PDB file of all heavy atoms in Angstrom:
ATOM      1  N   TYR M   6      16.746 -54.226 -41.973  1.00 93.00           N
ATOM      2  CA  TYR M   6      17.087 -53.425 -40.797  1.00 93.00           C
ATOM      3  C   TYR M   6      18.528 -52.920 -40.882  1.00 93.00           C
ATOM      4  O   TYR M   6      18.827 -51.807 -40.440  1.00 93.00           O
ATOM      5  CB  TYR M   6      16.839 -54.194 -39.490  1.00 93.00           C
ATOM      6  CG  TYR M   6      17.825 -55.290 -39.167  1.00 93.00           C
ATOM      7  CD1 TYR M   6      18.939 -55.034 -38.371  1.00 93.00           C
ATOM      8  CD2 TYR M   6      17.639 -56.585 -39.634  1.00 93.00           C
ATOM      9  CE1 TYR M   6      19.850 -56.036 -38.063  1.00 93.00           C
ATOM     10  CE2 TYR M   6      18.526 -57.591 -39.326  1.00 93.00           C
ATOM     11  CZ  TYR M   6      19.627 -57.312 -38.541  1.00 93.00           C
ATOM     12  OH  TYR M   6      20.531 -58.309 -38.241  1.00 93.00           O
ATOM     13  N   GLU M  10      19.842 -48.857 -41.300  1.00 93.00           N
ATOM     14  CA  GLU M  10      20.875 -48.230 -40.472  1.00 93.00           C
ATOM     15  C   GLU M  10      21.890 -47.499 -41.349  1.00 93.00           C
ATOM     16  O   GLU M  10      22.325 -46.399 -41.031  1.00 93.00           O
ATOM     17  CB  GLU M  10      21.576 -49.271 -39.592  1.00 93.00           C
ATOM     18  CG  GLU M  10      20.787 -49.647 -38.363  1.00 93.00           C
ATOM     19  CD  GLU M  10      20.407 -48.448 -37.507  1.00 93.00           C
ATOM     20  OE1 GLU M  10      21.274 -47.594 -37.227  1.00 93.00           O
ATOM     21  OE2 GLU M  10      19.226 -48.354 -37.117  1.00 93.00           O
ATOM     22  N   LEU M  12      21.309 -46.297 -44.401  1.00 91.00           N
ATOM     23  CA  LEU M  12      20.629 -45.132 -44.984  1.00 91.00           C
ATOM     24  C   LEU M  12      20.508 -43.991 -43.977  1.00 91.00           C
ATOM     25  O   LEU M  12      20.676 -42.833 -44.335  1.00 91.00           O
ATOM     26  CB  LEU M  12      19.251 -45.532 -45.510  1.00 91.00           C
ATOM     27  CG  LEU M  12      19.257 -46.471 -46.709  1.00 91.00           C
ATOM     28  CD1 LEU M  12      17.835 -46.889 -47.067  1.00 91.00           C
ATOM     29  CD2 LEU M  12      19.953 -45.838 -47.900  1.00 91.00           C
ATOM     30  N   VAL M  28      10.420 -63.914 -29.710  1.00 98.00           N
ATOM     31  CA  VAL M  28       9.093 -63.315 -29.541  1.00 98.00           C
ATOM     32  C   VAL M  28       9.137 -62.248 -28.454  1.00 98.00           C
ATOM     33  O   VAL M  28       8.596 -61.151 -28.625  1.00 98.00           O
ATOM     34  CB  VAL M  28       8.051 -64.410 -29.213  1.00 98.00           C
ATOM     35  CG1 VAL M  28       6.706 -63.780 -28.862  1.00 98.00           C
ATOM     36  CG2 VAL M  28       7.904 -65.374 -30.389  1.00 98.00           C
ATOM     37  N   LEU M  66       0.258 -55.032 -28.300  1.00 97.00           N
ATOM     38  CA  LEU M  66       1.359 -55.950 -27.991  1.00 97.00           C
ATOM     39  C   LEU M  66       0.968 -57.416 -28.144  1.00 97.00           C
ATOM     40  O   LEU M  66       1.802 -58.251 -28.510  1.00 97.00           O
ATOM     41  CB  LEU M  66       1.898 -55.677 -26.584  1.00 97.00           C
ATOM     42  CG  LEU M  66       2.539 -54.304 -26.384  1.00 97.00           C
ATOM     43  CD1 LEU M  66       3.015 -54.134 -24.944  1.00 97.00           C
ATOM     44  CD2 LEU M  66       3.690 -54.069 -27.357  1.00 97.00           C
ATOM     45  N   ASP M  67      -0.307 -57.738 -27.906  1.00 98.00           N
ATOM     46  CA  ASP M  67      -0.759 -59.121 -28.105  1.00 98.00           C
ATOM     47  C   ASP M  67      -0.651 -59.516 -29.580  1.00 98.00           C
ATOM     48  O   ASP M  67      -0.269 -60.642 -29.905  1.00 98.00           O
ATOM     49  CB  ASP M  67      -2.203 -59.300 -27.620  1.00 98.00           C
ATOM     50  CG  ASP M  67      -2.317 -59.247 -26.101  1.00 98.00           C
ATOM     51  OD1 ASP M  67      -1.306 -59.501 -25.410  1.00 98.00           O
ATOM     52  OD2 ASP M  67      -3.426 -58.940 -25.601  1.00 98.00           O
ATOM     53  N   VAL M  80       9.144 -70.978 -42.699  1.00 95.00           N
ATOM     54  CA  VAL M  80       9.840 -70.959 -43.984  1.00 95.00           C
ATOM     55  C   VAL M  80       8.986 -70.124 -44.932  1.00 95.00           C
ATOM     56  O   VAL M  80       7.851 -70.478 -45.240  1.00 95.00           O
ATOM     57  CB  VAL M  80      10.056 -72.384 -44.540  1.00 95.00           C
ATOM     58  CG1 VAL M  80      10.660 -72.321 -45.937  1.00 95.00           C
ATOM     59  CG2 VAL M  80      10.950 -73.182 -43.602  1.00 95.00           C
ATOM     60  N   GLU M  99       8.934 -52.362 -36.481  1.00 97.00           N
ATOM     61  CA  GLU M  99       9.069 -50.990 -36.973  1.00 97.00           C
ATOM     62  C   GLU M  99       7.800 -50.198 -36.700  1.00 97.00           C
ATOM     63  O   GLU M  99       6.696 -50.738 -36.760  1.00 97.00           O
ATOM     64  CB  GLU M  99       9.339 -51.060 -38.479  1.00 97.00           C
ATOM     65  CG  GLU M  99       9.759 -49.790 -39.119  1.00 97.00           C
ATOM     66  CD  GLU M  99      10.209 -50.028 -40.555  1.00 97.00           C
ATOM     67  OE1 GLU M  99       9.336 -50.235 -41.415  1.00 97.00           O
ATOM     68  OE2 GLU M  99      11.423 -50.022 -40.794  1.00 97.00           O
ATOM     69  N   GLY M 119      28.406 -49.737 -68.086  1.00 91.00           N
ATOM     70  CA  GLY M 119      29.290 -49.570 -66.939  1.00 91.00           C
ATOM     71  C   GLY M 119      28.958 -48.341 -66.105  1.00 91.00           C
ATOM     72  O   GLY M 119      29.741 -47.936 -65.253  1.00 91.00           O
ATOM     73  N   GLU M 128       4.816 -46.424 -59.569  1.00 88.00           N
ATOM     74  CA  GLU M 128       4.134 -47.711 -59.393  1.00 88.00           C
ATOM     75  C   GLU M 128       4.801 -48.513 -58.290  1.00 88.00           C
ATOM     76  O   GLU M 128       5.094 -49.691 -58.451  1.00 88.00           O
ATOM     77  CB  GLU M 128       4.167 -48.505 -60.708  1.00 88.00           C
ATOM     78  CG  GLU M 128       3.427 -47.846 -61.838  1.00 88.00           C
ATOM     79  CD  GLU M 128       1.923 -47.954 -61.709  1.00 88.00           C
ATOM     80  OE1 GLU M 128       1.420 -49.023 -61.324  1.00 88.00           O
ATOM     81  OE2 GLU M 128       1.253 -46.948 -61.989  1.00 88.00           O
ATOM     82  N   GLU M 134       9.623 -55.718 -61.572  1.00 80.00           N
ATOM     83  CA  GLU M 134       9.673 -56.560 -62.770  1.00 80.00           C
ATOM     84  C   GLU M 134       8.306 -56.604 -63.456  1.00 80.00           C
ATOM     85  O   GLU M 134       8.225 -56.613 -64.689  1.00 80.00           O
ATOM     86  CB  GLU M 134      10.121 -57.991 -62.416  1.00 80.00           C
ATOM     87  CG  GLU M 134      11.529 -58.085 -61.870  1.00 80.00           C
ATOM     88  CD  GLU M 134      11.640 -57.833 -60.363  1.00 80.00           C
ATOM     89  OE1 GLU M 134      10.616 -57.603 -59.692  1.00 80.00           O
ATOM     90  OE2 GLU M 134      12.780 -57.854 -59.869  1.00 80.00           O
ATOM     91  N   ALA M 138       7.454 -55.181 -67.254  1.00 85.00           N
ATOM     92  CA  ALA M 138       6.818 -55.998 -68.288  1.00 85.00           C
ATOM     93  C   ALA M 138       5.520 -55.380 -68.776  1.00 85.00           C
ATOM     94  O   ALA M 138       5.225 -55.382 -69.973  1.00 85.00           O
ATOM     95  CB  ALA M 138       6.557 -57.404 -67.747  1.00 85.00           C
ATOM     96  N   ALA M 160      18.149 -35.648 -59.799  1.00 98.00           N
ATOM     97  CA  ALA M 160      17.275 -36.151 -58.739  1.00 98.00           C
ATOM     98  C   ALA M 160      15.943 -35.408 -58.761  1.00 98.00           C
ATOM     99  O   ALA M 160      14.872 -36.006 -58.619  1.00 98.00           O
ATOM    100  CB  ALA M 160      17.964 -36.017 -57.386  1.00 98.00           C
ATOM    101  N   ALA M 164      12.254 -36.937 -59.495  1.00 98.00           N
ATOM    102  CA  ALA M 164      11.150 -36.757 -58.541  1.00 98.00           C
ATOM    103  C   ALA M 164       9.902 -36.217 -59.246  1.00 98.00           C
ATOM    104  O   ALA M 164       8.789 -36.710 -59.023  1.00 98.00           O
ATOM    105  CB  ALA M 164      11.583 -35.829 -57.407  1.00 98.00           C
ATOM    106  N   GLU M 172       5.118 -30.288 -52.943  1.00 96.00           N
ATOM    107  CA  GLU M 172       5.584 -29.897 -51.616  1.00 96.00           C
ATOM    108  C   GLU M 172       6.574 -30.906 -51.017  1.00 96.00           C
ATOM    109  O   GLU M 172       7.229 -30.631 -50.017  1.00 96.00           O
ATOM    110  CB  GLU M 172       4.407 -29.674 -50.657  1.00 96.00           C
ATOM    111  CG  GLU M 172       3.631 -30.918 -50.265  1.00 96.00           C
ATOM    112  CD  GLU M 172       2.537 -31.335 -51.251  1.00 96.00           C
ATOM    113  OE1 GLU M 172       2.481 -30.768 -52.365  1.00 96.00           O
ATOM    114  OE2 GLU M 172       1.745 -32.224 -50.896  1.00 96.00           O
TER     115      GLU M 172
END
Side-chain angles (χ1 to χ4, degrees):
Y6 73 93
E10 281 305 313
L12 293 175
V28 173
L66 296 179
D67 289 337
V80 175
E99 191 171 75
E128 297 285 319
E134 296 85 1
E172 69 275 10

